Amino acid sequence: MAQLEFFKPPVRTPSRSEVSLIAATLNFQVKLIQALSASDADQIIKISQGLIKPFGANTAFTKKTVWKYFNHPHTLPFVGVLRDEIIGFLVGVPLENFQDETWAAVDPTLGDHETVYTYAFIFDEKHQGNGYAKMLKRVYINWLKKRGYLFVSGHVQEGISKRFSLHTRVLQKYPNWHDTGKVFEYYQRPLR
């Protein structure tokens, strides 16, 4: 992703992440990160290492990029927490923050302030396939709906967006997206 002006390093780093609890079950919670602590940043970076094998070394978060994308209120960084440990995360960014990106121009809602772009969505490998990711995504979608957003969008590997909803549209395909060697598609999913 290009360097975006609104992503600035934090003025202060709290000793514990400042969060809003969005949803919870007996042992799993979804939280919105309002200010990220250094120890939680390290956990996010560690989890993002799971992106390296399928998509390349440049896709993992670093000490520099973690602060850019965990930058509420400019971004919407959600974490999945199992027994007080972050096991996954999902970062949404209002689409207008990507207005200078050539790919954003294919989205007919650009400028309408009604779409959130899903920048990153990953879970620790040992916690994949057990329903926690699905729960986090459902909470994220409902949270966006309640705030009046009409669409969610993002780039996913070709074919994946078919699983999202019957009304999801592929707006553009990108061969070798960010030098991953894979075809990605830019999708738009209505939230209503």
Side-chain angles (χ1 to χ4, degrees), residues 44-155:
I44 297 297
I45 292 167
K46 181 180 172 187
I47 292 168
S48 79
Q49 299 299 300
L51 295 167
I52 294 173
K53 186 176 179 183
F55 305 118
N58 293 335
T59 58
F61 280 45
T62 65
K63 291 217 180 253
K64 186 176 179 181
T65 60
V66 73
W67 301 110
K68 290 178 182 182
Y69 292 100
F70 277 73
N71 186 14
H72 187 269
H74 303 292
T75 64
L76 305 170
F78 291 84
V79 293
V81 179
L82 181 65
R83 296 181 200 93
D84 297 323
E85 177 189 354
I86 296 174
I87 62 169
F89 63 90
L90 189 158
V91 178
V93 181
L95 182 63
E96 284 68 29
N97 290 309
F98 295 104
Q99 65 188 354
D100 294 333
E101 297 286 335
T102 56
W103 59 261
V106 305
D107 194 311
T109 68
L110 181 62
D112 294 341
H113 301 277
E114 59 190 26
T115 301
V116 172
Y117 177 82
T118 303
Y119 178 79
F121 182 32
I122 185 165
F123 266 71
D124 187 316
E125 188 175 339
K126 68 183 178 187
H127 293 101
Q128 293 175 6
N130 54 20
Y132 295 123
K134 185 180 268 188
M135 188 181 307
L136 175 58
K137 185 75 170 218
R138 190 176 308 126
V139 168
Y140 169 69
I141 295 293
N142 287 330
W143 190 90
L144 294 175
K145 283 182 190 179
K146 288 178 183 175
R147 277 142 190 87
Y149 288 101
L150 301 178
F151 300 94
V152 67
S153 69
H155 287 90

